[in-house]
Amino acid sequence: MQQDTPQVDQTARTIAENVYAAYMRQAEGGRHPQTEQTLVTRLIEAIRPEVPGGTPRDIIDAANGALDAWEQQQGGGGGPRVTALNRADGSVGVSAT
């Protein structure tokens, strides 16, 4: 089924999954098992519009905006944020805020 996924959608998903993984490695406290699906979906929704023509900074800002909104909804804040993006493979760097 992945071969049917448009490239923009696949790129957004790859970046979102990498953001989630990097975020969770540095975030404090436990997360509910449904966190991954919900947060990855929100990251995809934020990142996807920026993928076709946006700069890496646009994508980073979109991802960080989704993380900000997520933390506010969860009653927390101040977790790690995306600081670098490699568009070629979707890898990201994060650091504590």
Side-chain angles (χ1 to χ4, degrees):
M1 189 71 107
Q2 274 194 335
Q3 66 267 20
D4 295 336
T5 304
Q7 186 60 41
V8 170
D9 292 341
Q10 186 59 46
T11 299
R13 173 169 288 285
T14 298
I15 295 168
E17 288 172 347
N18 289 338
V19 168
Y20 176 82
Y23 177 83
M24 293 308 286
R25 278 192 299 272
Q26 291 191 19
E28 294 182 15
R31 299 287 183 203
H32 189 276
Q34 292 179 335
T35 297
E36 180 176 3
Q37 181 178 356
T38 302
L39 184 51
V40 169
T41 298
R42 290 180 184 180
L43 286 163
I44 292 168
E45 290 170 352
I47 292 167
R48 192 198 182 287
E50 303 301 334
V51 170
T55 66
R57 174 53 47 196
D58 295 332
I59 296 169
I60 289 169
D61 289 346
N64 287 336
L67 293 173
D68 287 342
W70 172 258
E71 288 178 349
Q72 286 177 359
Q73 182 184 23
Q74 301 303 308
R81 291 295 180 266
V82 180
T83 56
L85 167 67
N86 180 336
R87 283 188 69 135
D89 65 5
S91 62
V92 299
V94 299
S95 66
T97 55

